[in-house]
């Protein structure tokens, strides 16, 4: 069997550990003619997130928390069936898994610091509100008679 075109980088120097990946193949649904009835092109890629030693502990905890609704007994599963080729579906599934783990292990964003609204911005907003009010007031009773 051919090797994947990986390594699939999660972040930095951390990659998807190929020995820990579990692959399942089945027949894809949808169009494809006779080909679809004879080939197992749909790919299911599973990764035991709870039991892995390939990820730093902090990343693992973060990913387990963020992906909790997608995990089944600590195992993350990704499916791919877009292509007619099993090989391309394998590539798609591996890339999708790496992207999912990269997003889930990313550090939380910096807390936003509240700062006062600058005086110029506040004045411009109030000036624009006053102008809009005048414009709308001008459309009232004093407007042209349409009768």
């Amino acid at each position: 069997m051919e090797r994947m075109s990986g390594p699939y980088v999660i972040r930095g120097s951390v990659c998807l550990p190929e020995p820990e990946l579990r692959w399942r193949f089945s027949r894809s649904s949808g169009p494809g003619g006779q080909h679809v009835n004879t080939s197992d092109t749909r790919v299911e890629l599973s990764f035991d997130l709870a039991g892995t030693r390939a990820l730093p502990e902090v990343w693992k905890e973060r990913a387990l928390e963020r992906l909790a609704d997608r995990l089944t007994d600590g195992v993350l599963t990704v499916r791919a069936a877009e292509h007619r080729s099993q090989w391309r579906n394998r590539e798609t599934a591996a890339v999708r898994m790496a992207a999912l783990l990269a997003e889930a292990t990313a550090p939380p964003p910096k807390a936003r610091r509240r700062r006062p609204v600058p005086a110029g911005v506040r004045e411009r907003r109030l000036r624009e509100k006053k102008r809009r009010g005048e414009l709308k007031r001008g459309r009232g009773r004093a407007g042209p008679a349409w009768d």
Side-chain angles (χ1 to χ4, degrees):
M1 183 162 82
E2 294 179 51
R3 272 183 53 80
M4 298 291 293
S5 66
Y8 295 97
V9 177
I10 295 173
R11 275 192 311 111
S13 62
V14 179
C15 299
L16 270 179
E18 285 192 39
E20 294 184 27
L21 300 177
R22 299 284 164 256
W23 299 91
R24 257 187 70 212
F25 308 101
S26 58
R27 292 189 180 134
S28 268
S29 62
Q34 293 175 345
H35 173 78
V36 90
N37 300 324
T38 59
S39 34
D40 294 337
T41 54
R42 184 173 65 196
V43 173
E44 256 184 45
L45 174 60
S46 299
F47 176 61
D48 185 4
L49 186 57
T52 188
R53 303 190 100 163
L55 296 178
E57 203 57 40
V58 177
W59 288 17
K60 192 160 98 170
E61 289 170 13
R62 214 179 278 158
L64 285 169
E65 183 182 317
R66 291 179 182 170
L67 296 172
D69 56 329
R70 287 198 60 157
L71 298 176
T72 307
D73 297 328
V75 176
L76 178 63
T77 303
V78 172
R79 290 174 191 80
E82 294 86 48
H83 307 289
R84 288 186 62 185
S85 155
Q86 185 188 95
W87 181 255
R88 287 178 64 195
N89 281 332
R90 284 174 64 116
E91 291 289 313
T92 302
V95 167
R96 199 175 291 161
M97 175 78 73
L100 199 59
L101 288 171
E103 190 178 325
T105 58
K110 276 188 170 178
R112 184 177 175 271
R113 286 181 44 196
R114 269 189 82 87
R115 293 199 169 84
V117 178
V121 172
R122 189 172 32 237
E123 288 168 14
R124 192 168 39 243
R125 181 177 58 85
L126 292 173
R127 233 187 355 258
E128 179 60 22
K129 281 177 66 130
K130 190 163 283 297
R131 191 187 69 77
R132 291 289 298 166
E134 294 295 329
L135 183 80
K136 289 182 175 187
R137 203 170 299 119
R139 295 180 190 154
R141 286 154 272 175
W146 296 102
D147 292 325

